[in-house]
Amino acid sequence: MDRHLAMETFVRVVDTGSFSAAASQMRVGQPAVSKAIAQLEEWLGVRLLLRSTRSLTPTEAGMNFYVRAKRSIEEAEEAVLAARGAGAALTGKLRIAASVCFGRLHIMRQLDRFLEKNPELEIDMVLDDRPINLVEEGIDVAFRSGSLADSTLVARKLGQARRQVMATPNYFAKYGEPKSPAELIAHQTVIYTPDGGGVSWTFRQGSAETSVAVGGRLKVTAAEGLREAVFAHLGIAITSEWNFAPELASGIVKSVMNDWELPSLELWAVYPTGRMASAKAREFASFVETCIPTTPSESLKRPLTA
């Protein structure tokens, strides 16, 4: 038994969720995959997978082995990259997680640059607004915004965005533009609460500081819903400029009260705890860092199609 190949086969089976999909990726027959897994289980003396007619799930021992086997494969790939030099293209598979809105607006629209540079690399992009478990879901690098609740995470700050008060010109034409935090109380605000949090904001202007509890008839738990509500002229949004970067640049959405400051929103590249970030994960994080618009005009350089 080729142990390295057997480990790679097992990792692919877990990643794809089936023997047939793993066989297709590795360009071998399904019996070869089944045989490799059986030999691996016999060699280890433990059951790695629970099989049924509808699903295939790693056992506890299987998941522990998966995490370490994947790390071993990544380290072998890094050794190859180091030998070939810094200019070598990346290979294998990279599994990434990001929120739906950020991933769609700021990663997917520029992903072709990264794929063209690394033609041997396969990417699984998990777009989900929930904070998923990186180890359990086999994520190599995730992109999270705001404060990190888990202090044990291995993370690198990529940038930060301003929070702004914004709505469509049609909304402001109908209801007027607020000039101060106190005036927000008279407006309908689309409340974006991904974690069910509060709706009180603290504004600063020079040395002055004031807090206001905004109100609205509509609450959404995903940024995509917030965007659609604003486009439908349902109210004002108080949110990161990244969520509306293309529309702020084109004038579809307008920000107001720009002489007042709100707490900024930080973006982090987060890696699974207990393992060294792979070269692929680190390079992709550096790529995403270049995707973040630093000025609204940068968003106009990107296609605005959905």
Side-chain angles (χ1 to χ4, degrees):
M1 178 184 66
D2 183 330
R3 293 179 184 175
H4 184 82
L5 180 59
M7 289 167 60
E8 182 181 353
T9 302
F10 174 70
V11 168
R12 294 229 182 197
V13 167
V14 174
D15 283 342
T16 61
S18 73
F19 284 13
S20 59
S24 176
Q25 283 190 1
M26 300 181 74
R27 296 180 174 85
V28 298
Q30 185 172 331
V33 172
S34 299
K35 181 179 179 181
I37 298 302
Q39 289 178 333
L40 191 60
E41 288 181 325
E42 183 179 357
W43 175 59
L44 294 172
V46 296
R47 188 80 172 269
L48 297 175
L49 297 168
L50 296 175
R51 306 166 180 83
S52 71
T53 55
R54 294 186 177 182
S55 65
L56 185 153
T57 307
T59 63
E60 182 178 355
M63 182 54 68
N64 290 334
F65 183 75
Y66 166 82
V67 171
R68 289 160 177 79
K70 187 167 186 176
R71 182 190 310 162
S72 176
I73 293 168
E74 289 171 349
E75 288 174 350
E77 290 175 351
E78 290 202 32
V80 172
L81 288 174
R84 290 177 176 173
L90 302 174
T91 62
K93 179 177 285 189
L94 184 64
R95 190 165 168 82
I96 300 150
S99 66
V100 177
C101 185
F102 183 84
R104 185 174 74 85
L105 291 179
H106 302 297
I107 298 180
M108 300 301 289
R109 293 181 179 183
Q110 300 190 71
L111 189 58
D112 60 328
R113 292 194 288 117
F114 194 80
L115 292 175
E116 286 175 6
K117 182 181 176 182
N118 303 283
E120 298 294 317
L121 185 68
E122 298 177 14
I123 290 180
D124 283 351
M125 181 74 74
V126 180
L127 297 181
D128 201 319
D129 289 339
R130 65 190 175 93
I132 63 177
N133 186 299
L134 305 189
V135 174
E136 288 182 0
E137 305 214 18
I139 301 298
D140 298 297
V141 58
F143 299 94
R144 293 181 179 173
S145 56
S147 58
L148 298 178
D150 187 351
S151 61
T152 66
L153 290 172
V154 179
R156 180 169 78 86
K157 181 180 173 181
L158 301 182
Q160 63 184 35
R162 294 173 299 169
R163 283 188 173 99
Q164 295 177 295
V165 179
M166 59 189 81
T168 58
N170 283 357
Y171 175 88
F172 288 132
K174 186 173 182 179
Y175 297 104
E177 296 183 10
K179 305 297 183 184
S180 68
E183 293 181 28
L184 288 172
I185 298 174
H187 285 265
Q188 283 296 316
T189 304
V190 182
I191 309 298
Y192 174 40
T193 58
D195 57 357
V199 290
S200 178
W201 291 100
T202 298
F203 291 81
R204 289 188 177 88
Q205 187 181 64
S207 59
E209 182 176 293
T210 182
S211 295
V212 59
V214 295
R217 298 167 59 196
L218 177 62
K219 292 184 179 180
V220 297
T221 60
E224 287 294 313
L226 176 72
R227 282 171 51 83
E228 292 304 316
V230 169
F231 298 152
H233 321 299
L234 295 179
I236 286 174
I238 302 176
T239 188
S240 157
E241 61 185 337
W242 287 335
N243 283 339
F244 288 91
E247 293 77 22
L248 285 169
S250 64
I252 294 174
V253 171
K254 178 182 179 181
S255 66
V256 297
M257 292 175 51
N258 293 318
D259 53 339
W260 288 88
E261 292 184 3
L262 284 159
S264 60
L265 185 74
E266 298 175 332
L267 177 69
W268 301 85
V270 182
Y271 307 99
T273 304
R275 53 185 273 204
M276 182 182 296
S278 68
K280 290 181 287 189
R282 294 195 304 270
E283 187 159 338
F284 193 82
S286 296
F287 161 72
V288 169
E289 196 169 9
T290 70
C291 295
I292 304 170
T294 56
T295 62
S297 61
E298 284 192 11
S299 295
L300 290 177
K301 300 175 185 177
R302 307 172 190 175
L304 300 181
T305 55

